[in-house]
Amino acid sequence: MRFLFKTDYNQDINLFPDNVARFWYGLLMVALIAAPFVLENFWLGEISYVLILAVVGIGLMLLVGYTGQVSLGHAAFLGIGAYTHAVLLKLGVPFVISVPAATLLSAFIGAVIGFPALRLTGIYLAIATLAFAFIIEQILIRWEDVTGGFAGFPVPRPEAFGVAITDDVPFYYLCLGATVLAVLVALNLLRTPTGRAFIAIRDSEIAAQSMGVNLARYKTLAFAISAGFTGFGGTLFAHKIGYLAPDAFNILLSIQLLLMVVVGGLGSIHGAIYGAIFVGALPQMIAILRDYLPENIARQPGLEPGLFGVILVFFILFEPLGIYGRWLKVKLYFSLFPLYKKATFKRQKTYTKSERFR
Amino acid sequence: MLNGLAAGCIYGLIALGFVLIYKATEMVNFAQGDLLMLGAFVAFTLIEGFGLNYWIAFAGAVLFMAVFGYLLDTVVLRQVIGQPQFAVVMLTIGLGFIFRAAASMIWGTETRSFETPFTGGVIRAGGLVIADVNASIVAGTAILCAALYAFFRFTRIGVAMQAASQNQLAAYYMGIPVKMIFSLIWAISAGVAAVAGILLAPVAFIDVTIGLLGLKAFAAAVLGGFGSIPGAVIGGLVIGVIEQFSGVYLAEGFKDVAAYVVILGVLFLRPQGLFGNIGRKRV
Amino acid sequence: MTLFQADNIAINFGGIKAVDGVSFAINKGEVFTIIGPNGAGKTTVFNLISRIYNPTEGRLIFEGRDITSVPPHQIAGMGIARTFQNIELFEHATVLQNLLLGRHAHRGTKPWWEMVFAPHVRKSELAHREKAEHVIDFLDLQHYRDTLIVNLPYGARKVVELARALCSEPKLLLLDEPSSGLNTEETEDMAWWIQDIKNELGITVLMVEHDMSLVNEVSDRVLALNYGRVLAQGTPSEVQSHPEVVKAYLGG
């Protein structure tokens, strides 16, 4: 077992607890930066997709995992970010302005949604976000003058700083930079009063108020920040898919995003990243799986959502802490070996805890 | 307008299923619409596949779904008792996906229909022409609601269900077999969904996606107040009528959105719906 | 000098008057205890003072300011902190995070700057950490610092509740049944801490208590409530020998 001997408050405040962590994460960054020199463009594209999902996942994690507000409609923010960015680009707005503008608009709409949602908890909030997402989807479909409706909207391929940003290698670095930025901002929030206020809201609203947390302000802020992250991811997503169609941002996508945070592990940034890797790799895994399944199952159009369902159910029932939770358990096993007790993570018998009163 | 009422009845029945489960276990069953879909398909198989009489198939399908609901709770949902609501929401969403995928594997993706005694006929009453199918939906809903009301009010099991829903631990202490009660409630809910599916069959085309009606039924449950059973049905009727009128008087596309706008309106203006109440925690 | 005054406060819950015409004043630096049978309205009074409920009548005056309509999240900043009868800690956070949250009212940084972790944010975090460590020292919580609340025993959680309230540097500390669920030894510790809070930290304490020995040991003045109304007010011995209080609550 390795003990972390703390001699300075800064060790708790810093992003990395010690030099060992700094070393490994540094190595990871070097590998990611060097990737284009080693991998083919196809794989760069796959990693870019995972990175975009990570940005969105972090946004959703901040809202769901840390503030405890359920959103079943986050695909709407993805769509808002994507369409706003595409429309602005088409109007000739430079890339470096269009991205922040789309992000801010998405954050603003998030705040607008968050504000009336203040009085809603748990299931009511989930349903409200679901309804909101359907309405946004309809707006994207019907507002044909702007979005092109079902005909679709080709995403312009701009240049920034003299580079064709949407070519494979520059785009990869763009996504990498975006993800690093997202992770840093999220981690910064979480080690300061704002992030702690989010956690307080999740765990006990009444105690949070008694400690001086203005519920209205922080819930709205959580929605806004989460929507902003997701909108930011949406701008990159627009370039990734190249051609926007309004029904791409539907409830299935929202569920996929939630799947990402649940499977990854609620309540940690690591969880968002692992979830992004999982969901990003999923289409490939399903494609490979199809070759092994009997004919009539493999050809079903409902196979992909069906598999999502199975994965969701599996994780909720058997691994509620997600992939990151499993990783922590494995680490603990090895660090305590051979003294690891099998009952360490056994769940206590619990009774229904009413959420009608919080 | 009767179309609206009939649609409303279906929404109401689905919402009824939601509210039953929510009142008892505080779980929201996002797969309720898909249970409707499965009920309709089972009836289809019984009628077209086995050649059974409509009424026998009706009863058979409802019974089958009730057992299915009971097993669903016993095997799957019991494992998540005590976990935060979010986990249950995700679980039922996942189950919904599984049901749809399984249904498309078993019955394929084309739409199905089956013979009912109500298809095609009309009642002429006092100058109005009412399609038999719509009348059957409204009548069936009314009968079912009356039966459920009597059940909850007058039988021991019904009262026990109310107790278990309010304080699970205390119900255990009183000797109420809480887990069995919850499974029974799931059974009833699934049965109600099956009834809705079979009543709906002659009006709409049954295919694997028909369960998405369930999302609109949320509007009904929210409107009625999530804890109120009569509220759910009334909410359903209101939604059905609102949809009907939006389709007639408002522009294209509003009909689809009407239910969701209602949801948002109710949640923001009067979250407890028409009949529900919001509790506060005592600290 | 009067720190806090409740002026004829009352609250209805759907026809039941949970608190009816209650008036009392708390002097700076004293320990003021409210006693009474269950359901007498003691915790309701607390909830009124920390503004979780709105009184239907009456006024609440703190340091000369009328706080009757102040929203609940502003109370901590004004200098009133409370603990909860049934422990409302942030379960999935560590003890240290709970304590740092206790300092939320004094945070001093804005979200924009926190997102980029500007230097003044780091300085602020270090200052808050130091203040939290003072409280940890005061209540001997060092070995629990990084433990998640879900992993703590009940007695420890009560202490963390107290610590979190202290972290907000209150002028008035509301303790709701601080000794409930604690054994004799832990209750003794609690008595010493309350006295230390009064003497060393200079904080005024308002508490609800059932344990009469604790009440006698630490209180300066006592208020007895029954059915939402005041039965008696005065020193501990005066109230405990008051015939109505004996009849309603103490027995014998």
Side-chain angles (χ1 to χ4, degrees), chain A residues 7 17 19 37 63 73 75 78 82 84 112 122 145 154 176 199 210 219 244 257 260 285 320 356:
Chain A
T7 53
N19 283 324
F37 301 103
L63 185 65
L78 202 64
T84 309
V112 167
D145 297 338
L176 185 60
I199 297 175
S210 304
K219 280 190 187 179
L244 297 178
L257 297 178
M260 192 164 52
M285 295 199 303
R356 278 179 271 204

Side-chain angles (χ1 to χ4, degrees), chain A residues 119 347 352 354-356, chain B residues 26 28 81 83 168 257 268:
Chain A
R119 300 194 291 158
R347 273 182 283 168
T352 315
S354 178
E355 288 202 17
R356 278 179 271 204
Chain B
E26 254 188 62
V28 181
I81 286 186
Q83 285 205 31
Q168 197 188 8
V257 184
F268 293 153

Side-chain angles (χ1 to χ4, degrees), chain A residues 150-202:
Chain A
F150 276 120
F153 195 107
V155 180
R157 305 173 60 97
E159 280 198 2
F161 312 113
V163 180
I165 290 248
T166 48
D167 283 351
D168 290 313
V169 176
F171 188 64
Y172 169 79
Y173 282 121
L174 181 65
C175 292
L176 185 60
T179 308
V180 169
L181 183 67
V183 170
L184 284 177
V185 170
L187 287 178
N188 281 340
L189 274 176
L190 290 168
R191 55 177 172 159
T192 54
T194 302
R196 287 193 288 262
F198 288 164
I199 297 175
I201 295 177
R202 177 191 68 195

Side-chain angles (χ1 to χ4, degrees), chain B residues 180-199:
Chain B
M180 190 184 86
I181 297 259
F182 284 177
S183 298
L184 277 176
I185 291 196
W186 273 87
I188 296 179
S189 245
V192 166
V195 169
I198 300 173
L199 288 175

Side-chain angles (χ1 to χ4, degrees), chain B residues 120-183:
Chain B
V122 289
I123 306 176
R124 292 168 206 283
L128 290 171
V129 178
I130 305 174
D132 262 0
V133 285
N134 287 336
S136 75
I137 292 177
V138 177
T141 308
I143 296 173
L144 186 59
C145 287
L148 284 174
Y149 174 76
F151 176 76
F152 281 113
R153 183 86 191 286
F154 300 118
T155 67
R156 282 183 61 182
I157 294 190
V159 175
M161 282 180 180
Q162 292 190 52
S165 85
Q166 285 172 23
N167 188 332
Q168 197 188 8
L169 200 44
Y172 265 117
Y173 284 135
M174 291 300 114
I176 295 175
V178 173
K179 289 190 182 157
M180 190 184 86
I181 297 259
F182 284 177
S183 298

Side-chain angles (χ1 to χ4, degrees), chain A residues 239-257:
Chain A
H239 289 302
K240 181 88 188 97
I241 60 178
Y243 199 91
L244 297 178
D247 53 355
F249 302 102
N250 57 9
I251 179 76
L252 184 63
L253 185 60
S254 288
I255 302 292
Q256 262 180 283
L257 297 178

